[in-house]
Amino acid sequence: MQAPLVSASSQVRRYGHWIDGQPVATATHIQRVGPQSDDVVAEFSNGSDSDAARAIQSARRAFDEGPWPKLSGTERANVLNRWADLVLLNLDHLVQIEIAEAGKTIRVAKGDLEGTVALMRYAAALCHQLSGEAFTDFGSALQAMVIHEPVGVVAAIVPWNFPTIIFAQKVPFALAAGCTVVVKPSELTSGTAYELARLATQAGLPNGALNVVMGYGDPVGQHLVQSQDVDMVSFTGSTATGRRVLKGQEVNFKRVSLELGGKSAAIVFDDCDIEAAVEGVLFSIFMHSGQLCCAGSRLLVQNGIAPRFLEALIERAEQLKIGLLEDPSTDFGPVVSEVQLQSLKRFVARAKAQGATILSGGDTADSRSESATYVGASRTFLPTILDNVECSMEVFDEEAFGPILSVTRFATEDEAVRLANMSKYGLAGSVWTTNMRRAFDIAGKVRTGTMEINTSLEGQPQLPFGGFRTSGIGREKGKAGLEEFTEIKTVAFRLEARPPFFGAK
Ligand code: NAD
């Protein structure tokens, strides 16, 4: 039987926490005003320290006493696969939540949910791959094994931009490793985390193995970070909050993985396939209105092709269709909140004051007559292209987290690499050229966790994702994304007694 939401009677979904396999109602709620209009689209539990503590205790019990860590890989895989099946069955409902809370276009929301299912199935397959090493060359008397054990109780802290994908890059992998989990979704987009946890219970996940506690970073996130009963924090969010998470470990020293911000460079050479490069650059910065950590938000373009490339890019950016999020032909939607919108406006104003030139966009969509009647137009920041960006300007290396592309020109390969590496971040990037020797050379020289050649935003579950420098610590997805949730243990065993080390008794 499906457990009901705390309230589903009206259009406004009201959510409790999900703890120990059931909904837990709370007295106070956070009202979520949707990205598209002034309407409240959901109410999320306003969690307290004691709610966070209750969720942690549930996960602790499920790890220390429950069946989950002791199940075989096959048994765990079966649950994860059933979970993926249920997500597919409920896909339309989950897509609607993503549209309402995160302001996604239906195409992006569907892609996210399909990606979520793919991540769950891949994690299920990894359940069979937690192998170790055996050492048998110490002579006949001694052998040893090096094995992976689940790290324990994991606190998974998730941001608002990809509430299901980022959940799925963490939770199924932690569960595959035998961990138990407490998820803290963003206070702006908590609905799908609740639904995914509910479906996991329905799929047969033991109670307490996955809990969702909603609320603000302080107190709920902060409580998870500081609790002695949490063994690992897997955090995705801003670099500033990531620093606070690290600081919280001065006492505890728990395992921390951080997926943080980025300012990734798309490097376009004169000899590129211009049409493919324009589409790739466009996709990497304007998908989900640029609200993605690995957005290609810096365009480095070689002098020879720059005028032609920019002309084509502007033309395509201005063709992107702004409209109802539920319409499959809509390309581009509003930013997540009024706070974010105002921050983008200030960001562009500062860039302009420092000498950048606005080639396209720079304002909200209601400034464009053909979009003015669309209900979310005043909340949609137009695809924006800023030219003449110098390394000394804020826009060159600060993350705007919106649809803002900065353009800097270069002459040589060495200069392109130097500009790409001139960043405190190191998350992703792409290179566009038909010269494969050059492409691989540059992929090796740019200091980022992901470099793509003649493509952008490939997110397959097999490919590890994470950053260098202030973009983070650790990797998600791929086999590395499973090992992230394990501790390595050495087990040495003697087959014959060791000769005494000390003198005779
Ligand atoms: P954020 O740092 O404000 O919040 C992220 C999460 O942390 C939220 O759930 C929030 O409630 C929680 N939080 C806030 N304060 C906390 C605290 N003191 N202790 C514990 N938890 C706390 O980030 P955001 O605005 O939700 O997301 C945007 C940022 O996330 C951008 O900087 C973006 O680059 C980054 N991001 C990174 C990746 C990646 O994989 N590298 C992916 C998506 C987003």
Side-chain angles (χ1 to χ4, degrees), residues 361-372 377-378 380 382:
D363 205 343
T364 45
D366 50 353
S367 65
R368 231 167 60 173
S369 57
E370 68 275 20
S371 311
S378 63
T380 302
L382 287 169

Side-chain angles (χ1 to χ4, degrees), residues 157-161 166 169 184-187 215-218 221-222 225 235-239 241 244-245 259-262 292-293 399 401 427 465 471 476:
I157 302 181
V158 176
W160 48 260
N161 59 335
I166 293 173
Q169 288 183 184
K184 207 303 266 170
S186 164
E187 57 275 20
Y216 292 107
D218 189 5
Q222 206 55 29
V225 167
F235 172 83
T236 301
S238 63
T239 298
T241 313
R244 293 192 66 185
V245 172
E259 299 289 341
L260 308 175
L292 61 166
C293 51
E399 189 183 41
F401 218 60
L427 193 56
F465 180 73
S471 288
E476 290 186 342

Side-chain angles (χ1 to χ4, degrees), residues 119-142:
L119 284 159
M120 288 173 166
R121 293 210 194 288
Y122 178 69
L126 286 181
C127 287
H128 306 286
Q129 293 197 24
L130 262 184
S131 55
E133 291 175 293
F135 291 86
T136 55
D137 65 339
F138 304 128
S140 61
L142 178 69

Side-chain angles (χ1 to χ4, degrees), residues 349-421:
R350 286 197 300 274
K352 223 174 128 186
Q354 287 178 8
T357 318
I358 301 178
L359 293 184
S360 185
D363 205 343
T364 45
D366 50 353
S367 65
R368 231 167 60 173
S369 57
E370 68 275 20
S371 311
T373 53
Y374 158 60
V375 64
S378 63
R379 291 149 189 271
T380 302
F381 201 81
L382 287 169
T384 296
I385 303 175
L386 302 176
D387 200 3
N388 300 319
V389 171
E390 311 256 345
C391 323
S392 57
M393 295 179 187
E394 177 198 39
V395 56
F396 185 79
D397 197 33
E398 282 306 323
E399 189 183 41
F401 218 60
I404 299 174
L405 178 69
S406 74
V407 182
T408 306
R409 288 152 217 250
F410 68 87
T412 64
E413 241 174 83
D414 284 350
E415 192 186 359
V417 171
R418 192 172 53 77
L419 287 169
N421 283 334

Side-chain angles (χ1 to χ4, degrees), residues 232-316:
M232 173 174 176
V233 177
S234 171
F235 172 83
T236 301
S238 63
T239 298
T241 313
R243 276 205 182 91
R244 293 192 66 185
V245 172
L246 270 186
K247 278 207 174 125
Q249 303 318 313
E250 278 167 355
V251 178
N252 284 340
F253 285 86
K254 62 172 68 84
R255 173 87 67 85
V256 172
S257 77
L258 301 172
E259 299 289 341
L260 308 175
K263 192 80 187 183
S264 301
I267 308 173
V268 175
F269 282 94
D270 287 347
D271 66 352
C272 72
D273 170 342
I274 188 161
E275 236 175 84
V278 165
E279 289 307 313
V281 169
L282 195 79
F283 178 55
S284 80
I285 179 61
F286 297 134
M287 202 270 259
H288 191 30
S289 300
Q291 302 170 114
L292 61 166
C293 51
C294 48
S297 51
R298 284 191 295 156
L299 169 63
L300 307 178
V301 59
Q302 202 165 19
N303 288 328
I305 202 174
R308 206 150 58 91
F309 188 84
L310 289 173
E311 192 186 329
L313 189 69
I314 293 165
E315 191 185 336
R316 286 292 288 130

